[in-house]
Structures are given as C-alpha cells and as structure tokens.
Amino acid sequence: RYALQERLGAAYEEQGYIRLDRGRYTVAKTFDDSLRITGRFVNVLDPTLPVVDEVQLQPDELALLRDVAPDCGGEPRMLFCSSCVEWRSETPDRLAAIVSSAGGTVGACRVFTGGKRGTVRAIDARGKDVAVHTSVEADTLLLEYPNSPFGVALEVAWE
C-alpha cells in the first residue's frame, strides 16, 4: 500500500479473492468477494470430475480446475484421472491406461468421447476383472473403479 499510494501515487485496492493460473490449471480462493470463472474445465475437487463451462464461487470457497478446452474436440482422450496415471495409450479406436492409487478408495477418470460409444473393461494386477461404474454426461464418459496400489488397467474400446 505504501509503495503504490505514497511513492507512486497509484490507487491501492485489495481483491476479495486470489486466482492463480499455472499452465492448464486454475486455483481460486475467495475471501469477501464472489468470483466467476468461464472456460471449459474439469472440476478436480468434485469426485465425479464434471466438465463445466462456468464456475461461480461465493465468498470463502475454493476451486481447482483443469482447462480441457483443447481436448474437447476430435478423437476420444482422457481429460483427467484422480488416480496416478502410470501409462496410457490413446488411439482412434482404443483408450487404455494403467492407473494406481491407495487401496480402499474409489478412482475416477473423465474421458472425452468424441461422440463415440465404447465398451469398458478394467483388470487388476492379478488379471481379474474389476467392476467399473460408467456414466455418460454430454460428450464425456466417467469411469469409477476401485483403486489399487498395484495398478488397475482401464480400457475403452470405441465402436
């Protein structure tokens, strides 16, 4: 305040929020003000990893968003995964990934479908099938599966 007002004669005004953009990630924390953020993002703090075009933060709220606008066109691809992605392969007819995380937790992976329908399969490190709950939301697919520290292989074969 001193440097701006006294030395430079500029007006000093505090914002009621902090917004930090780093690469494709945006972190925002509101204090006294509300904040509207627009774009095409995966809301990383929501367990279902929804794709949103606008986030409206009220006072004392937090957001962690990943910009997925560059990924929402063309062929299917992974938008965000709550598990650690150890390996992945994305081709026009198949998306495959090996993911890992703490056992006893549920992993979530949001995938852009490119308008395609797919058959989903998951296998654990012992080669046994793993139950995957899927839900379609607009042009995306959510995969929810039990995490394993030894890894889970996810595959979506596009039709």
Side-chain angles (χ1 to χ4, degrees):
R1 181 177 297 194
Y2 171 78
L4 281 175
Q5 287 180 321
E6 301 298 324
R7 294 292 185 187
L8 301 175
Y12 174 79
E13 185 177 326
E14 290 185 7
Q15 293 184 142
Y17 64 88
I18 294 173
R19 177 180 172 163
L20 181 64
D21 295 298
R22 289 293 182 263
R24 293 181 61 179
Y25 288 88
T26 297
V27 180
K29 168 68 172 121
T30 55
F31 301 109
D32 299 328
D33 293 344
S34 52
L35 176 65
R36 181 174 170 250
I37 304 171
T38 59
R40 188 135 167 102
F41 302 101
V42 168
N43 183 348
V44 173
L45 296 180
D46 186 320
T48 64
L49 304 175
V51 176
V52 295
D53 295 319
E54 178 180 306
V55 174
Q56 181 68 45
L57 296 176
Q58 299 305 316
D60 199 32
E61 288 188 339
L62 175 70
L64 175 56
L65 309 168
R66 182 174 189 272
D67 179 11
V68 295
D71 299 323
C72 290
E75 294 298 328
R77 65 190 55 139
M78 185 183 296
L79 298 177
F80 189 83
C81 187
S82 66
S83 306
C84 178
V85 179
E86 307 289 350
W87 171 87
R88 80 173 164 193
S89 171
E90 297 168 327
T91 65
D93 60 344
R94 182 175 160 261
L95 182 144
I98 297 175
V99 298
S100 65
S101 195
T105 63
V106 176
C109 182
R110 179 67 67 179
V111 176
F112 172 71
T113 65
K116 296 181 179 181
R117 295 180 60 204
T119 303
V120 178
R121 184 170 181 213
I123 303 169
D124 68 14
R126 296 173 300 202
K128 296 187 179 188
D129 285 336
V130 174
V132 179
H133 174 28
T134 62
S135 57
V136 176
E137 184 180 306
D139 56 355
T140 68
L141 174 67
L142 176 66
L143 310 174
E144 294 177 295
Y145 49 88
N147 275 316
S148 169
F150 305 108
V152 174
L154 301 173
E155 179 184 53
V156 182
W158 303 109
E159 297 172 6

